């Protein structure tokens, strides 16, 4: 019969393995957020890392750099917040 320490170790090991599997499954999730004005789309993975930025070249030409920068930053912040929510749901984390 297993001791209490052995059972606790086994539970901890399985908990780590389960969490690693959930994290692996979550790695491929990408959150997209449109940039204001239809200029493009930013994508972050569920860890909040920037994965891609796609631009509409026609609309991009009509913007100055400062406005574009603000719009990109806002879209990235929004995508990061959505990613955090998804991550919390998928991984059972609390913020």
């Amino acid at each position: 019969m297993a001791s209490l320490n052995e059972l606790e170790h086994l539970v901890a090991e399985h908990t780590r393995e389960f969490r690693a599997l959930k994290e692996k499954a979550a790695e491929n999730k990408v959150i997209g957020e449109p940039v204001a004005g239809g200029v493009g789309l930013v994508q972050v993975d569920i860890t909040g890392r920037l994965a891609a930025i796609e631009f509409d070249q026609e609309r991009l030409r009509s913007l100055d750099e400062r406005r574009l920068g603000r719009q990109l930053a806002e879209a990235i912040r929004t995508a990061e917040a959505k990613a955090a929510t998804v991550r919390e749901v998928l991984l059972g984390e609390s913020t």
Side-chain angles (χ1 to χ4, degrees):
M1 183 167 202
S3 71
L4 182 57
N5 285 340
E6 291 171 328
L7 289 174
E8 288 174 342
H9 176 72
L10 192 58
V11 167
E13 182 180 331
H14 286 296
T15 300
R16 283 190 302 274
E17 289 172 359
F18 180 67
R19 183 161 182 92
L21 285 172
K22 287 190 337 183
E23 288 175 0
K24 178 102 173 130
E27 284 176 0
N28 297 324
K29 303 262 187 259
V30 176
I31 309 299
E33 181 65 27
V35 179
V39 175
L41 179 74
V42 297
Q43 296 178 342
V44 299
D45 66 17
I46 69 158
T47 66
R49 287 183 293 210
L50 185 61
I53 301 175
E54 300 171 12
F55 291 107
D56 179 322
Q57 295 298 322
E58 293 298 317
R59 291 186 177 175
L60 187 63
R61 291 183 188 137
S62 65
L63 288 178
D64 67 64
E65 295 86 7
R66 281 177 269 164
R67 183 173 176 200
L68 176 61
R70 287 190 302 271
Q71 290 173 327
L72 281 173
E74 183 60 33
I76 291 169
R77 279 192 294 272
T78 301
E80 287 172 337
K82 288 180 180 179
T85 300
V86 170
R87 183 174 58 248
E88 183 178 322
V89 169
L90 288 176
L91 302 178
E93 296 177 347
S94 61
T95 54

